[in-house]
Each structure stands twice: as C-alpha cells, then as structure tokens.
Amino acid sequence: MSSLLHYLDQGQGQPLVILHGLFGTLDNWQTLARRWATEADLRVISVDLRNHGRSFQSPEHSYDLMAQDVLALFDHLQLGPDTSLLGHSMGGKVAMRFALDYPDRLANLLVMDISPRFSDMQHQDDILAGLQAVPLATLEGRQQADEAMAVHIPHVGVRQFLLKNLYRRDDNSFVWRINLETLASSMAAVGEETTAVQPFLKPALFVRGGKSNYITAEDKLHSIPALFPNSQVETVVDAGHWLHAEKPEEVFQLVKAFVQQ
C-alpha cells in the first residue's frame, strides 16, 4: 500500500497546499481550491491526510507522523520554499507542526480556526458514538445510516458532513473511508498541544470564526505569538468552526491577499 498521501493538484503558479480537518477529506476544500487555482493563479494541492479520504490507513496517528507524511509529499512533488501551507482544525495542527519542524520548506503558514494549545476532545464523543452506531454490516442505505447517527448527533449539517465518509463498495456493502478505529483511539493525540524549541519566524495567518471558540483572546495574546511571532489573527464575522463552508468569499479573499503579498 502506498505511503504517499492522496492529493489533487490543479492550477499553475506559486504552490498552496491544503490540509483538511478531523473526519474531513480534500473534497471539503474543493470549491475554494478551484477558485484559488483559477482566480488567484496558484498551484493548489489539496491533500487527504492519513486515515482519511483516499489516503493510506495506519494504526498510528500523531502530528509528528502526519507532518512527515506531508514532507514526503513535498519531496515527491518537488515543492520549493515558495510554498504556502494551509490547514483547518486538525489539519491546522499538522500545518503548525510542519512549519515548526521544516521551516525552510515554506514561504508562509495559514491556520484556519485552531490554536496551538491543548484541545479537550470530549466534544467529539457524540460524533464518535454516532459513527460507531452505524450498522455497516447490515446497512442498506444512507438514510438508515443518518437515522442511526441522529440518536447521538442532532445537527443535520454535521451528519451530512460525516456521511461523506461513507461509500459503497462494488459488492454493495458499505465502509467508512476514515479509519474509525484508529481515530477513536487517537483522540488524545489529536487534541495535544503544539510545542517547539524554536518558533516559526516567517509570516503566519490565523483565521478564526467569529462564532467559534477554537481561537480565544488568550490564544491571540499568548499561545499563537509564542510560537509564531510574525503572525496576524483575522476574524471572519458570523462564521463558526467551518468558516470556509459558511463564508467562502471572505476566506477566499483573506487567503489570496496573504499568499500574494
């Protein structure tokens, strides 16, 4: 099995690599990725992280390993130091880890709605319970999966997002694209604090949703500038954690302006 991450490469110009969040796939960013490729003249490389999407599955899931996976992709694609790296949520923590470990591989860093501090992952308990409640062995369709998840996950938008990970094999049986077993056992690692001996000195843009609490006023003052002294924090008003889905135009413009500056 290939240990190279699955990716989609489109457009020409300065490279922008995009890393999705927990339970996501590169598809979550496709609308914006296409626009950055066509309207901002960027080469946009959207990535499925390990244990997600069409990338390989592994019993190990840590930020050190995920940053190494991204490094292997940079080497494979021969990406130069003019590359921008963007990550959302868990992908944002992968991007931070990569920037801190391999700073000379990047021009700059963009982090969407996550801070370096420890995240208590208890808010994912209901999501895991919902995913685990889906009876894959006897599943006949998406509607049945949605009903099983609804017991634990009342928010229909969250269920629709998670159901994008469900696919039907040639023999008509259903499976998850995510490695649910590994992710469920790795929640503490997904929430862990980002630390480093040396800060990342190049430009960094942190974008927070105005209705999200993933980046706090305290993060803005302390945890972010401690590791990323050359950073700025922008707020997308009226957006929650899924700011790219809720306010795509604002996110499009912020990223375009930052990468091109």
Side-chain angles (χ1 to χ4, degrees):
M1 183 177 287
S2 168
S3 60
L4 188 68
L5 296 171
H6 172 252
Y7 65 93
L8 182 65
D9 191 346
Q10 55 193 328
Q12 269 138 19
Q14 188 184 335
L16 169 67
V17 176
I18 302 179
L19 309 177
H20 62 78
L22 182 64
F23 306 127
T25 72
L26 62 80
D27 296 343
N28 305 149
W29 283 86
Q30 267 330 87
T31 307
L32 279 168
R34 271 195 297 272
R35 287 193 63 193
W36 285 318
T38 55
E39 296 173 45
D41 299 323
L42 298 174
R43 176 187 177 188
V44 184
I45 298 140
S46 320
V47 180
D48 280 336
L49 293 166
R50 66 164 58 203
N51 293 318
H52 288 78
R54 290 173 173 78
S55 282
F56 62 91
Q57 300 204 343
S58 164
E60 297 180 293
H61 196 82
S62 72
Y63 287 117
D64 286 343
L65 289 171
M66 288 190 277
Q68 288 165 28
D69 294 342
V70 174
L71 180 66
L73 184 63
F74 269 58
D75 290 344
H76 173 75
L77 295 171
Q78 298 180 310
L79 296 175
D82 61 337
T83 303
S84 300
L85 180 60
L86 180 155
H88 172 244
S89 202
M90 179 189 77
K93 283 203 163 175
V94 177
M96 286 187 255
R97 181 77 273 144
F98 183 93
L100 291 160
D101 288 352
Y102 314 108
D104 38 350
R105 300 302 296 264
L106 293 180
N108 51 51
L109 171 71
L110 303 95
V111 177
M112 301 284 145
D113 211 53
I114 195 81
S115 80
R117 78 181 143 79
F118 167 78
S119 313
D120 181 342
M121 299 302 287
Q122 276 180 321
H123 62 283
Q124 301 289 352
D125 288 354
D126 290 344
I127 287 183
L128 287 170
L131 289 165
Q132 289 162 339
V134 175
L136 289 177
T138 57
L139 193 62
E140 290 175 9
R142 288 181 175 275
Q143 182 61 36
Q144 187 190 349
D146 185 60
E147 287 163 9
M149 288 167 67
V151 177
H152 303 277
I153 307 168
H155 196 288
V156 66
V158 175
R159 296 201 306 275
Q160 285 171 344
F161 163 71
L162 294 168
L163 282 167
K164 289 180 179 162
N165 289 295
L166 190 68
Y167 79 104
R168 197 191 281 265
R169 285 190 289 217
D170 292 341
D171 65 1
N172 272 339
S173 65
F174 282 94
V175 279
W176 292 116
R177 283 206 194 279
I178 42 172
N179 184 346
L180 184 54
E181 189 182 355
T182 292
L183 294 177
S185 64
S186 303
M187 279 298 135
V190 172
E192 77 178 19
E193 180 186 5
T194 304
T195 60
V197 180
Q198 295 287 331
F200 177 74
L201 301 175
K202 291 175 181 176
L205 173 69
F206 284 73
V207 183
R208 61 181 287 274
K211 297 196 284 195
S212 169
N213 58 4
Y214 278 75
I215 295 180
T216 63
E218 182 77 2
D219 293 326
K220 218 169 151 176
L221 284 173
H222 299 293
S223 76
I224 292 173
L227 290 175
F228 305 98
N230 189 13
S231 62
Q232 62 196 83
V233 179
E234 299 286 347
T235 300
V236 176
V237 182
D238 286 336
H241 186 54
W242 301 101
L243 60 181
H244 54 297
E246 294 171 36
K247 296 283 180 180
E249 185 58 37
E250 287 84 340
V251 172
F252 172 80
Q253 297 294 351
L254 277 169
V255 170
K256 178 176 182 251
F258 181 76
V259 169
Q260 290 179 341
Q261 74 186 6

